[in-house]
Structure formats: C-alpha cells, structure tokens
C-alpha cells in the first residue's frame, strides 16, 4: 500500500468507528433514526469493499471491537 492508500484506509476506519458508536449509542432501543444509521453504515461498508479500502474481515473486527466498547460484551454474548 502506498502512503495515500494507507491514509485513506485510516480515514475510512475512523469514520466507520464513529458511525458504529452512533448506532450503538441507542443501545437496544429501536427507533427510526437508529434503523436509518444502520442502513447508512451498511452502505458505507459496501462502498469501502467496492473501493478495496477495507476487507470483510476488517469490517467484522471493527464491529466486534466497537460492540465490545459499547456494551462490554460480544454480539454473541449479548
């Protein structure tokens, strides 16, 4: 990877973490806004995959890490 590609990846991951935190801030409450955010992050991840900025494995890692940070347990445990 070039420096520019690494920088883009870092920016993408930072934004992905921010978006995941917003979704997880709703906890288990179901709202229209939370559903909208979930759709947005799904599209965001799809774009990252399409542009080869991120891998499915890295997406899964980010989701698991942010879920653990938000709830103190894995998605499977929750």
């Amino acid at each position: 990877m070039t420096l520019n590609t690494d920088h883009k990846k870092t920016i993408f991951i930072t934004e992905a973490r921010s978006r995941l935190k917003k979704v997880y801030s709703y906890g288990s409450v179901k709202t229209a806004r939370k559903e909208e955010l979930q759709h947005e992050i799904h599209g965001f991840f799809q774009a990252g995959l399409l542009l080869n900025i991120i891998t499915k494995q890295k997406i899964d890692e980010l989701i698991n890490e942010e879920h653990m940070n938000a709830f103190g347990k894995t998605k499977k445990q929750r």
Side-chain angles (χ1 to χ4, degrees):
M1 275 192 205
T2 65
L3 182 59
N4 192 31
T5 304
D6 286 340
H7 182 67
K8 287 178 183 178
K9 183 177 180 178
T10 299
I11 291 170
F12 186 91
I13 289 171
T14 300
E15 180 63 22
R17 286 186 187 281
S18 175
R19 290 172 183 242
L20 285 167
K21 286 176 185 171
K22 285 180 188 175
V23 170
Y24 292 147
S25 72
Y26 284 86
S28 58
V29 175
K30 296 184 188 273
T31 68
R33 180 62 182 141
K34 181 181 178 183
E35 187 175 333
E36 184 180 303
L37 289 170
Q38 288 171 325
H39 290 299
E40 286 177 11
I41 197 155
H42 178 77
F44 186 76
F45 283 142
Q46 291 300 316
L49 289 169
L50 180 66
L51 296 171
N52 292 316
I53 293 173
I54 197 164
T55 65
K56 175 70 172 115
Q57 180 182 354
K58 184 62 178 176
I59 290 170
D60 291 341
E61 287 174 18
L62 287 172
I63 291 170
N64 289 331
E65 287 171 10
E66 290 306 321
H67 191 278
M68 180 64 85
N69 289 338
F71 303 108
K73 52 180 111 176
T74 67
K75 287 179 77 173
K76 195 173 201 176
Q77 291 171 327
R78 190 163 177 244

